């Protein structure tokens, strides 16, 4: 590691510098370094200290769109390949997800998802009311059923980011401007490099204002340790109805078992809020929703609540690829709530484009140059 | 003198004392086992350090230094 | 209504002052009875008696877990439920807790905070015949030793880290304050025959499953002393969590030091809360004197550098998450340590390791998160359940 600006400027031999050391930046750094490039990462604060630390850390497959499925599915495979090498503090746990359906309408969604995933080779189990009660005894009785995805996992992303960064120089500094040949730091130091990968999450617009990335605030609460209380990550299927509406604030029941025995309880989504403070009203709404599904949560002790910002985009897909009009700048941002899940695939796609490799999945849907006009 | 049960064993406690006093008076040194397997007992005595956590009547993470004993209380360390 | 959080000296004085001005006051405290840590179990203490006789309502056994300075509400957790309380003006008199520093063996059962062991003894822990070493720094050690001795404990010695050369001028200053020197004489009488050893500190605590002996640096000589309990205190740390969270125009914070300063600070805050500026202002000279004395105390009992080097790589720093000092190598802030080692991420919310790391590495704790104390999720939902006050 090096903090020294002069040394920083003197090292102009890096092929690529990644700006941002969240899970996405760290994954890009790892992928490019493993491809033989001379890579460094520039970080203004702590490794994995932004949305990577604030988020839940799930490695999930999602199917809002075919493109979202392709990216999450590809990335999850990469996570399972990486899993045996991850250190214990990355807390990777293949506990699986359980989507719960409250009523027949949501049960229809279970069947739709089941068909969709099965057709694409993703293992799923459809559970009836009794099956859900057996899988998660602390859920309220009388739920219609659920869908289990055994391959879904959770991890502690800041530790995973640090692991991915191993051996890669970490340069401390705040990037204020991107230049055609690199970037400039807040200290005035100019750094030149072969290419820049912008992986600053929600702060992407600060350096590339044309990017359609905006903050979506979320709250979480973690409990003390209650080993055995929960077996899967549990998510309500109402999530889909509420989570991706772009105008209203929403909450959804989403609870995760951590390796520590702690429970991580979410989730909330708010647009147009810049204050990072925990909001009582939002937290209460979120916890009330969780207690509706899992009444016993009321007696457990919460030890910490916080809020963070996801990097949202108009079409709920990340921006991965060359920045339009800037041949040496690459964007890896806009992952919203799926940054951990899709980080490893994002890194592959960035490296593929930078090195002119063929990609395992089509890159077009994530191209920062795509049209965001829904009527186009 | 309320009688409480600590890990299934009967312990007589003075009236109105906290679970922490009852356990320490009975010579119990292990209130909880730390993540690395060490025995832990009260440090701060005033509800700050969380070292005296025990399970009281099935509820985990109760602070022994804050909970007053009650006849028949089940304490698990 | 004026709400006072804390029924120690500062809270009692604030409540009485506001009450004297004719204002409605409610006091909240997590303990079952008023008096705070210093007058715990001391029902005859004259301020405690005055408070009880005033008729000011005390909400005892209530922990403030959250609040909102905009709607001016506090969220309280009680043993059997939750409650929300509204205030016009809030006086935060949450006092202090002990500062702890890590050293090998400090996690052994039998190692207590000095104030902690006193609090336990006051609440009924028998110490009769126990061999106790009192160590650390500050006048609290003397008060604790005298109290424990009065309860029949055998105080082996009091190890004060401050060198004798620094203690003499302090003693001289004390002599200039009749009340303080009287207290001092009283303590000296109560502690007659107990070795009070300056320039001495605990190097390690040892034992199988519980404390059996303590290794001390006794004025440069390393000695081993057997004992049942170690009462250790490295000074006080103000409890600022509530004040940090609820900073607002209608919030007054009564800072703390010893009981005398706390009474003055509390009274001044009580007058100000009641809008009686002249009465509060009239206290300025007394407050200045008391604060100057508190500053002198802090300077006299400043922690020596050697205490920064007691812990080795295997010594647990974060007792909740069992993070040893060695794991913090290369970390450059408390947040970095929290994020990458879990240090400070347990249920004490960094209350024990935070101040220690602040002393060891100069790290401020800038990432405090709600709730103020671990709280039942049901408590955090109190408003939704209609438990509003």
């Amino acid at each position: 590691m090096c903090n020294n600006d002069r040394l920083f400027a003197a090292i102009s031999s890096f092929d690529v510098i990644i700006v941002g050391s969240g899970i996405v930046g760290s994954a890009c750094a790892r992928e490019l370094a493993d491809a033989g490039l001379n890579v460094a990462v520039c970080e203004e604060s702590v490794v994995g200290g932004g949305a990577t630390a604030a988020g839940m850390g799930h490695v999930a497959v999602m199917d809002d769109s075919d493109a979202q499925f392709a990216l999450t599915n590809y990335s999850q495979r990469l996570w399972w390949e990486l899993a045996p090498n991850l250190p214990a503090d990355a807390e990777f746990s293949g506990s699986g997800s359980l989507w719960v359906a409250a009523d027949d309408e949501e049960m229809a969604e279970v069947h739709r998802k089941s068909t969709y995933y099965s057709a694409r080779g993703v293992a799923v189990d459809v559970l009836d009311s009794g099956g859900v009660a057996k899988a998660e005894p602390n859920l309220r009785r009388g739920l219609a059923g659920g869908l289990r995805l055994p391959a879904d996992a959770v991890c502690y992303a800041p530790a995973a980011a640090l692991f991915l960064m191993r051996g890669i120089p970490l340069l401390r500094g705040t990037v204020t401007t991107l230049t055609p040949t690199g970037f400039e730091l807040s200290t005035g130091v100019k750094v030149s490099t072969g290419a820049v990968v912008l992986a600053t999450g929600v702060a992407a617009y600060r350096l590339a204002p044309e990017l359609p990335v905006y903050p979506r605030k979320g709250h979480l609460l973690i409990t003390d340790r209650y080993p055995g209380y929960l077996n899967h990550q549990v998510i309500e299927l109402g999530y889909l109805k509420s989570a991706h509406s772009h105008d209203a604030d929403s909450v959804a029941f989403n609870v995760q078992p951590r390796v520590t025995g702690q429970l991580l309880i979410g989730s909330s989504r708010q647009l147009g809020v810049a204050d990072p403070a925990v909001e009582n009203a939002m937290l209460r709404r979120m916890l009330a929703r969780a207690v509706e599904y899992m009444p016993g949560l009321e007696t457990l002790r919460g030890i910490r609540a916080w809020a963070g910002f996801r990097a949202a985009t108009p079409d709920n897909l990340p921006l991965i690829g060359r920045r339009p009009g800037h041949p040496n700048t690459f964007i890896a941002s806009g992952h919203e709530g799926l940054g951990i899940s899709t980080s490893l695939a994002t890194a592959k796609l960035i490296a593929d484009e930078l090195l002119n490799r063929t990609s395992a999945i089509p890159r077009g849907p994530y191209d920062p140059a795509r049209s965001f006009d829904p009527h186009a | 003198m309320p009688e409480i049960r600590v890990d299934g064993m009967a312990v007589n406690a003075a009236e109105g004392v906290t679970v922490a006093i009852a356990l320490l008076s009975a010579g119990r040194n292990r209130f909880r086992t730390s993540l690395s397997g060490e025995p832990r007992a009260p440090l701060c005595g005033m509800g700050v350090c969380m070292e005296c956590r025990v399970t009281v009547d099935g509820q985990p993470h109760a602070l022994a230094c804050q909970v007053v004993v009650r006849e028949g209380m089940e304490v698990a360390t | 209504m004026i709400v006072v959080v804390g029924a120690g000296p500062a809270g009692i004085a604030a409540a009485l002052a506001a009450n004297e001005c004719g204002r409605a006051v409610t006091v909240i405290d997590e303990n079952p009875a008023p008096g705070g840590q210093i007058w715990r179990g001391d029902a005859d203490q004259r301020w405690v008696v005055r408070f009880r006789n005033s008729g000011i309502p005390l909400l005892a056994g209530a922990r403030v877990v959250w609040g909102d300075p905009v709607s001016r509400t506090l969220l309280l957790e009680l043993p059997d439920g939750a409650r929300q309380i509204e205030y016009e003006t809030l006086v935060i008199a949450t006092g202090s807790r002990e500062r702890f520093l890590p050293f090998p063996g400090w996690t052994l059962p039998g190692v207590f905070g000095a104030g902690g062991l006193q609090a336990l003894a006051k609440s009924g822990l028998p110490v009769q015949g126990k061999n106790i070493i009192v160590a650390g720094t500050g006048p609290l050690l003397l008060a604790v030793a005298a109290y424990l001795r009065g309860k029949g404990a055998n105080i082996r010695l009091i190890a004060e880290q401050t060198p004798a050369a620094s203690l003499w001028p302090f003693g001289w200053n004390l002599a200039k304050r009749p009340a303080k020197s009287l207290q001092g004489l009283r303590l000296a009488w109560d502690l007659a025959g107990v070795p009070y050893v300056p320039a001495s500190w605990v190097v390690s605590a040892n034992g199988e499953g519980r404390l059996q002996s303590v290794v001390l640096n006794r004025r440069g000589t390393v000695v081993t002393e057997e004992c049942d309990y170690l009462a250790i205190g490295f000074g006080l740390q103000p409890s600022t969590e509530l004040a940090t969270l609820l900073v607002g125009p209608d919030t007054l914070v009564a800072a703390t030091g010893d009981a005398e300063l706390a009474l003055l600070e509390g009274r001044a805050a009580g007058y100000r809360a009641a809008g009686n500026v002249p009465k509060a202002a009239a206290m300025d000279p007394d407050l200045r004197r008391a604060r100057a004395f508190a500053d002198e105390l802090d300077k006299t009992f400043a922690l020596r550098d050697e205490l920064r080097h007691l812990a080795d790589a295997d010594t647990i720093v974060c007792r909740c998450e069992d993070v040893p000092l060695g794991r913090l190598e290369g970390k450059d802030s408390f947040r970095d340590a929290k994020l990458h080692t879990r240090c400070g991420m347990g249920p004490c919310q960094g209350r024990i390791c935070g101040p220690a790391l602040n002393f060891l590495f100069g790290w401020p704790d800038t990432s405090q998160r709600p709730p103020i104390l671990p709280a039942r999720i049901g408590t955090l939902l109190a408003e939704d359940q209609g438990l509003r006050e």
Side-chain angles (χ1 to χ4, degrees), chain A residues 1 45-50 53 89 91 156 158-159 161-162 172 221-225 260 262 265 278-281 283-285 287-288 291 297-306, chain C residues 63 66-68 71 73 75 77 84 320-321 327 330-333 335-336 338-340 342 344-347 349 369-371 373-385 388:
Chain A
M1 290 190 199
S45 176
V46 180
V47 170
D89 66 356
E91 297 175 4
Y156 181 62
L162 205 59
R172 288 296 170 97
L221 176 132
I222 196 156
T223 67
D224 208 329
R225 294 168 189 250
T260 54
Q262 294 173 286
I265 304 173
V278 173
E279 296 162 57
N280 291 5
L283 187 77
R284 279 183 169 143
R285 258 183 78 186
L287 295 175
V291 167
L297 288 178
E298 239 184 0
T299 62
L300 309 191
R301 304 192 84 82
I303 64 171
R304 193 163 54 252
W306 65 94
Chain C
R63 303 190 113 187
W66 209 356
D68 177 8
S71 62
T73 50
L75 183 58
E77 182 162 290
Q84 204 166 43
C320 293
E321 297 289 324
R327 281 220 60 202
K331 302 291 173 274
D332 56 16
S333 65
R335 181 163 148 76
D336 193 1
K338 282 183 178 180
L339 218 50
H340 290 294
R342 299 191 60 85
M345 297 293 257
Q349 299 166 309
R369 307 265 190 246
L373 285 163
R376 285 189 297 269
I377 285 169
T379 299
L380 299 174
L381 286 171
E383 190 184 47
D384 287 325
Q385 296 179 342
R388 222 179 160 85

Side-chain angles (χ1 to χ4, degrees), chain C residues 230-244:
Chain C
L230 170 64
I232 192 140
F234 293 102
L236 298 179
Q237 182 77 29
S239 296
T240 56
E241 287 77 15
L242 191 55
T244 306

